[in-house]
Amino acid sequence: MGHVLGAERRALRDTGTARESLLSAIDPRSRILASIAFAIVIVALDNLVLLLAGLAAALLIMVEARLPVRSTLKRMAAMDTFIIFLIAMLPFTVPGDPIFTVFGFAATWEGLRQAVEIALKANAVILALMALAGSMEPVALGHALSRLKVPDGLIHLLMFTVRYVDVLQQEYMRLRMAMKARGFRPGNNGHTYRSLGYLVGMMLVRAIERSERILGAMKCRGFTGRIPLLDELAFSRRDIFFSIGMTAFLGALIALQLTL
Amino acid sequence: MHIVDGALANEVVIGGTVIAVAGIGLGLKNLPAEKMPAAGVLSATFFVASLIHVPIGPSSVHLIMNGLAGLVLGWAAFPALFVGLLLQAVFFGFGGLTVLGVNTLNIAMPAVMVYYLCRHGIAARSLTVAAIWGGVGGGLAIALTTGFVAIALALSGDEFIPAAKLVFFAHIPIMIVEALVTGAAVVLARRVKPELFAAITRSASKEVTP
């Protein structure tokens, strides 16, 4: 994930939050449910034209959500090398009509089609997810999930992670700076792997000590195992329009898939 | 090693999700409110640790550290790593949404397996022995994760099998790096704060781990 996040950037900031848009007025719960429905429908399709329509819709939502276009598209396209490799090999591993041969391995139309299908699905779903859910404040995501009856324990874990990722990222940078000041330069050697291992170990030790202070502070403020969520979420008229629009679009995709 | 949406068969996605939900449930059951801050901060630590790049040959890889996560968190690795994957998907576009369950299973199940296999080893009196067990855990977790990913793909279609095999062998250097880094991390934690490994898992396992 490191190539997505520049070292100088703070981890869970710069997610395109706090920008006013039509989408930001829609209830976070509707947005989460919409992104899940969108993902399920897109994954179920297998017509390439309909998948392109899905990708176009996801792009439209991204523009509407006012996400920074270039970095969002870059993130969308940044898949694991593992998966890229796998998709690239598909034309050669699926049997069918050959297009061309490389070193005696024939690439087939069927394989190419499957590779394109996976690439379209993966990109459409992740783009819609980033646009619908990723444009919220991470804390709002936690609140909305809690209102959608996700277990409290999981929500607390999510909120703690969101809260402390930034803090720990800065601590990591401080430790790295201290290592640099002492002449540490990473390379292909045992010293590097040992030093980075010590770094991770040290971060864990500091994390557990920090968590003891946090628990103390929380108890001091009367923590009983529940964290009250103060904001009220309301399902408004905008949400009705949004839900109807989303349902109509996904319904049309399914209907076309079944008739084509 | 995040699988993306659309690559796997429906049966694999549903099966993976069911097992992941069960694992998350088990992890949360063993996590009382008292331990929530520790689990949350550790979850954030592993999130940040996965941003660390380690040189390997002419290139570099980012750490995964799911073996170490298992050793420190036990079953709580399931919800903790799930939260990390969820945040990565939603805010950084890594992985996918329908495959979230499968991805959680692939990362967290090896963590839990390493916890059971290596937790006694890393508590050994000799630091060298502890480091070796930590290294075994770190390398094994990556091997298992790659293997799980390969199985998920192979179950989805025979056309994935050649690539999955090749990728498994391509990951051997990463297993070695993770083993070395995890071993060193275990040594440091044992020297500085040995109770780290029992902070979350102690009451959960009802056994006395030092």
Side-chain angles (χ1 to χ4, degrees):
Chain A
M1 218 170 70
H3 56 279
V4 180
L5 260 172
E8 74 283 359
R9 247 191 300 170
R10 298 166 93 202
L12 272 178
R13 296 281 164 79
D14 197 32
T15 48
T17 50
R19 293 171 188 237
E20 273 308 307
S21 70
L22 272 179
L23 208 60
S24 65
I26 294 169
D27 192 311
R29 288 170 300 180
S30 329
R31 284 153 71 181
I32 292 170
L33 292 177
S35 57
I36 295 171
F38 185 88
I40 292 172
V41 170
I42 291 295
V43 168
L45 299 176
D46 67 1
N47 183 298
L48 292 187
V49 179
L50 294 180
L51 286 174
L52 272 174
L55 186 60
L59 279 167
L60 204 71
I61 304 172
M62 178 196 72
V63 174
E64 199 47 64
R66 309 255 171 93
L67 284 179
V69 175
R70 194 198 284 198
S71 64
T72 307
L73 290 181
K74 231 164 111 185
R75 284 175 180 180
M76 173 191 87
M79 285 191 231
D80 259 37
T81 38
F82 192 172
I83 295 298
I84 298 232
F85 195 67
L86 215 100
I87 293 176
M89 272 183 81
L90 271 179
F92 301 98
T93 53
V94 179
D97 300 328
I99 319 170
F100 57 87
T101 52
V102 183
F103 304 121
F105 293 103
T108 62
W109 287 111
E110 286 79 358
L112 185 65
R113 193 191 172 285
Q114 198 180 339
V116 170
E117 191 183 317
I118 294 177
L120 281 176
K121 284 181 182 177
N123 285 320
V125 171
I126 207 72
L127 187 57
L129 178 68
M130 279 194 287
L132 287 168
S135 54
M136 310 176 194
E137 288 280 354
V139 175
L141 177 73
H143 285 199
L145 286 174
S146 169
R147 302 279 196 267
L148 290 170
K149 305 280 179 250
V150 172
D152 276 351
L154 204 53
I155 299 297
H156 292 172
L157 213 47
L158 178 82
M159 301 291 241
F160 267 111
T161 307
V162 165
R163 167 69 181 77
Y164 284 101
V165 158
D166 264 353
V167 176
L168 293 167
Q169 167 91 352
Q170 280 169 25
E171 185 153 291
Y172 164 65
M173 306 288 274
R174 270 199 306 278
L175 286 167
R176 259 328 261 272
M177 187 70 81
M179 288 167 79
K180 205 173 169 185
R182 285 157 183 77
F184 173 74
R185 279 179 58 201
N188 281 296
N189 48 49
H191 175 70
T192 299
Y193 301 136
R194 194 168 54 239
S195 304
L196 290 177
Y198 286 169
L199 171 64
V200 172
M202 199 61 220
M203 282 173 65
L204 288 175
V205 169
R206 289 189 176 193
I208 210 83
E209 286 176 349
R210 184 186 294 276
S211 79
E212 285 158 9
R213 297 195 297 275
I214 295 167
L215 183 65
M218 287 172 74
K219 277 184 175 165
C220 176
R221 288 159 181 79
F223 177 64
T224 54
R226 272 198 66 247
I227 302 175
L229 304 175
L230 296 176
D231 60 339
E232 289 294 324
L233 296 175
F235 198 77
S236 67
R237 186 184 284 186
R238 276 174 202 269
D239 296 300
I240 297 172
F241 287 133
F242 174 75
S243 311
I244 292 174
M246 198 56 159
T247 313
F249 175 70
L250 295 178
L253 284 183
I254 296 171
L256 285 169
Q257 169 75 45
L258 292 177
T259 52
L260 285 174
Chain B
M1 269 167 282
H2 305 64
I3 300 179
V4 294
D5 286 306
L8 297 179
N10 291 338
E11 296 81 2
V12 178
V13 169
I14 295 168
T17 306
V18 169
I19 303 175
V21 167
I24 292 169
L26 258 174
L28 289 176
K29 219 183 89 189
N30 290 332
L31 207 55
E34 282 275 303
K35 295 190 173 171
M36 198 51 86
V41 179
L42 288 172
S43 164
T45 311
F46 284 107
F47 190 101
V48 173
S50 75
L51 305 176
I52 302 177
H53 270 235
V54 177
I56 180 166
S59 161
S60 73
V61 293
H62 69 86
L63 293 175
I64 301 177
M65 289 281 117
N66 56 336
L68 192 59
L71 291 174
V72 175
L73 291 165
W75 276 98
F78 255 99
L81 295 172
F82 167 77
V83 162
L85 288 171
L86 177 71
L87 293 173
Q88 286 184 354
V90 171
F91 294 107
F92 303 139
F94 247 65
L97 185 57
T98 59
V99 284
L100 211 48
V102 177
N103 281 336
T104 304
L105 178 66
N106 290 345
I107 300 271
M109 192 55 108
V112 173
M113 288 161 86
V114 163
Y115 165 65
Y116 282 112
L117 286 172
C118 303
R119 61 176 167 159
H120 295 299
I122 57 162
R125 188 162 306 186
S126 146
L127 270 186
T128 319
V129 176
I132 290 169
W133 276 103
V136 167
L140 186 66
I142 302 300
L144 288 169
T145 296
T146 322
F148 278 21
V149 172
I151 291 171
L153 289 164
L155 286 176
S156 299
D158 291 342
E159 63 273 18
F160 291 116
I161 291 175
K165 273 186 194 159
L166 208 60
V167 167
F168 183 84
F169 291 110
H171 272 76
I172 289 176
I174 301 178
M175 293 170 203
I176 297 171
V177 167
E178 288 261 344
L180 294 172
V181 173
T182 309
V186 165
V187 167
L188 184 119
R190 276 287 308 275
R191 269 199 203 127
V192 179
K193 199 171 175 78
E195 60 273 33
L196 171 73
F197 293 107
I200 299 284
T201 55
R202 187 171 34 212
S203 76
S205 61
K206 290 198 182 70
E207 278 176 54
V208 184
T209 37

